[in-house]
Amino acid sequence: MRGKFARGHLRRGKEKAMGVAKTQLERAESLNREGLQAYEDWDIDRAIERFRAAIRLIPDRGEYHLNLARALARAGDFDQALRALAEFLRLEPDSPVTERFERLFARGLDEVETVLTEKMTASKRPIDEVGAALKMWLEYRIALGRDPLVVRKPEAWAAALDYTVRKVNLRKVTQRDIAELYGVSEQTLRERFEHLVKTLDIMPCDYRYFVEDQNPLDKLVEAAELLEQLEARFREP
């Protein structure tokens, strides 16, 4: 009798533990989905909070750490983003994207960064623009997540980064100019440019890569705030 009671008690304990684990996983998955939606909506603080909450519930799920890294990179916190990536690599050492992420921890420039810095320096681009292009390349490689990155010709990506940073900073430049500078076709440049813009959700004068002291977007923000104040006054009883 005691044996049956003990076995029944043990079974109920296991079932309860499994139920708790299932509930935690469901909650963590829900938090992860909320984080992804916040990331797409540019509510980055909320995205980071949701991913971290998911990690607290299920700390050994690599996907949550990878998503956290993407959100932190978009926020410009690359130190923390790399820490999150390191945890992802620890949990998923055999992932197809492991090699790409491991290279982010290597010293020195990769092949794209080497071409980029050489060409931009030779073209006498401001050092701040070179830095913005390198930052864009770092964020892009993190933002891709599990998507593959194919670099057949480093000049193609270097050209796209250079061109995108110049366009963000409202420089007068054409795709033909940059394509000739890097020795790539205009079509290839255009494809890489569009992929950068889509993946990183880049806009003109994007604060992440704009290097001048006065950003034209500041006026839009001020105008929006003023309009909100005027609307509030207009509706006062």
Side-chain angles (χ1 to χ4, degrees):
M1 182 66 69
R2 290 181 179 178
K4 290 183 179 180
F5 176 80
R7 287 193 295 273
H9 184 71
L10 180 60
R11 184 180 66 255
R12 288 191 294 273
K14 288 183 177 179
E15 291 174 350
K16 182 178 180 180
M18 290 176 63
V20 171
K22 182 179 180 181
T23 300
Q24 284 186 323
L25 177 58
E26 291 174 347
R27 177 56 180 157
E29 285 292 293
S30 177
L31 287 165
N32 184 59
R33 289 192 297 271
E34 291 175 12
L36 289 172
Q37 185 59 58
Y39 177 83
E40 293 298 326
D41 294 340
W42 271 90
D43 191 350
I44 304 304
D45 288 341
R46 177 179 171 82
I48 292 171
E49 185 275 327
R50 287 296 186 268
F51 293 139
R52 283 177 169 161
I55 290 170
R56 285 194 294 271
L57 287 173
I58 310 292
D60 60 352
R61 186 61 64 95
E63 185 73 14
Y64 303 161
H65 294 276
L66 179 56
N67 289 335
L68 175 60
R70 295 170 64 214
L72 288 166
R74 177 160 286 187
D77 191 344
F78 291 102
D79 287 341
Q80 290 298 320
L82 290 175
R83 289 186 181 184
L85 272 183
E87 190 63 17
F88 166 77
L89 292 173
R90 184 185 70 81
L91 293 168
E92 296 192 25
D94 299 322
S95 170
V97 295
T98 293
E99 183 178 355
R100 165 158 52 94
F101 287 141
E102 285 180 340
R103 295 190 66 178
L104 299 181
F105 296 89
R107 293 185 178 182
L109 303 177
D110 70 9
E111 52 193 354
V112 173
E113 292 166 326
T114 299
V115 173
L116 179 67
T117 53
E118 288 178 353
K119 291 292 186 180
M120 292 189 76
T121 301
S123 301
K124 302 186 184 306
R125 303 312 305 164
I127 188 65
D128 288 345
E129 284 189 21
V130 179
L134 293 172
K135 176 183 177 182
M136 184 181 292
W137 182 234
L138 174 58
E139 184 181 350
Y140 174 74
R141 287 177 289 170
I142 297 174
L144 279 176
R146 295 185 186 275
D147 291 342
L149 172 61
V150 179
V151 182
R152 295 190 181 91
K153 189 173 183 180
E155 289 81 2
W157 282 110
L161 292 161
D162 186 348
Y163 178 74
T164 306
V165 165
R166 296 197 202 200
K167 294 296 285 187
V168 166
N169 285 276
L170 308 179
R171 309 303 188 206
K172 291 184 178 180
V173 65
T174 67
Q175 291 182 357
R176 176 178 294 181
D177 294 335
I178 300 300
E180 291 179 354
L181 176 63
Y182 285 85
V184 300
S185 69
E186 291 183 52
Q187 179 179 347
T188 297
L189 170 58
R190 183 162 49 252
E191 290 173 353
R192 300 295 187 278
F193 165 70
E194 291 174 352
H195 204 278
L196 284 172
V197 171
K198 180 180 179 180
T199 302
L200 297 177
D201 199 11
I202 299 172
M203 63 186 297
C205 305
D206 196 302
Y207 284 102
R208 291 171 292 175
Y209 317 115
F210 194 80
V211 301
E212 301 295 335
D213 293 333
Q214 297 294 324
N215 191 315
L217 292 181
D218 292 339
K219 295 181 179 179
L220 294 178
V221 174
E222 293 172 1
E225 292 175 348
L226 177 59
L227 181 60
E228 185 176 342
Q229 294 172 7
L230 293 174
E231 180 71 16
R233 293 178 186 176
F234 178 74
R235 295 185 178 279
E236 285 179 353

